Amino acid sequence: MSIDDEKNVADETGIDGLLVIRMKQAGDARGTVREFFRTSIWQQDELRSLVDGPWLQINVTETRRGAVRGLHAEAMNKLVGVVSGRAMGIYLDTREGSPTYGAVHTCTLEKGTQVFVPRGVGNGFQSLSDETQYLYCFDDEWRPGMPGTAYTPLSPDLRIEWTIPVDPDDPAQISTKDRDAPVWTAPER
């Protein structure tokens, strides 16, 4: 699916509404300029229905090599990507009634690649670099107790092949909160 021109591309995934996006970039001897977000692209017919309003909160995490964050599925849309480093993105459709409920998608995130994560789809990642800066744009402000779900990214039914083995007892690799979140059980098909 082309979202603007041949330099901006959104690829559909095995999860309904989850898109892997590569935005245009230009480089010269000084370095590179990358677009992360452009309103006019999101106002095109193919994407307009995905985002109800502007991004209301933007966070950046700095995560060490091998560390895992997530899986969090709040009731808000997210646009995520890396500012520096590389990560393995992990996504889980937790939306009961979705045609892709229970589907898992993984992809490598590097500069110039981002993912649109629809509300109710779990988002997580593992840093593959010494330090990865992971950017989150939210269409709602995070607040304690907001609707959503979380699952441990270590759930066996996710069948994630970790690039870097995860020690569940190492707090430098996974938080107690993420490790002890409910275990995902794959739906019977």
Side-chain angles (χ1 to χ4, degrees):
M1 158 189 334
S2 177
I3 57 176
D4 181 39
D5 57 31
E6 292 182 23
K7 294 183 180 181
N8 293 320
V9 178
D11 294 323
E12 295 176 337
T13 67
I15 296 178
D16 186 40
L18 183 81
L19 302 173
V20 177
I21 303 166
R22 288 180 304 284
M23 296 295 284
K24 66 178 154 185
Q25 53 189 358
D28 61 22
R30 299 168 296 164
T32 303
V33 174
R34 288 182 190 84
E35 287 186 3
F36 191 83
F37 177 79
R38 183 192 293 207
T39 299
S40 62
I41 291 171
W42 287 88
Q43 291 177 343
Q44 293 180 32
D45 290 340
E46 296 171 321
L47 300 176
R48 183 176 296 140
S49 64
L50 298 176
V51 179
D52 294 333
W55 301 117
L56 300 180
Q57 182 173 336
I58 299 175
N59 293 356
V60 176
T61 62
E62 294 178 359
T63 306
R64 293 182 178 97
R65 186 177 196 282
V68 174
R69 293 185 188 264
L71 287 164
H72 307 141
E74 295 89 359
M76 59 182 155
N77 293 310
K78 301 173 189 172
L79 181 64
V80 301
V82 297
V83 178
S84 68
R86 293 179 70 239
M88 178 175 75
I90 304 155
Y91 310 95
L92 168 66
D93 190 347
T94 68
R95 303 168 296 178
E96 291 186 33
S98 165
T100 56
Y101 176 68
V104 176
H105 181 78
T106 61
C107 62
T108 301
L109 295 172
E110 50 198 5
K111 293 181 270 187
T113 302
Q114 57 200 35
V115 176
F116 175 76
V117 184
R119 54 180 56 85
V121 171
N123 172 66
F125 70 94
Q126 181 181 49
S127 172
L128 303 179
S129 300
D130 288 342
E131 179 181 273
T132 298
Q133 292 186 348
Y134 193 83
L135 180 72
Y136 301 80
C137 301
F138 305 103
D139 71 349
D140 196 3
E141 292 185 19
W142 183 90
R143 61 194 178 284
M146 75 181 311
T149 58
Y151 293 96
T152 179
L154 304 178
S155 300
D157 281 6
L158 295 173
R159 295 191 171 111
I160 296 172
E161 294 182 25
W162 297 101
T163 303
I164 300 167
V166 179
D167 178 353
D169 296 319
D170 183 352
Q173 279 199 302
I174 188 167
S175 71
T176 302
K177 177 183 172 186
D178 288 345
R179 182 196 67 201
D180 294 346
V183 172
W184 171 260
T185 302
E188 292 185 27
R189 302 263 177 203

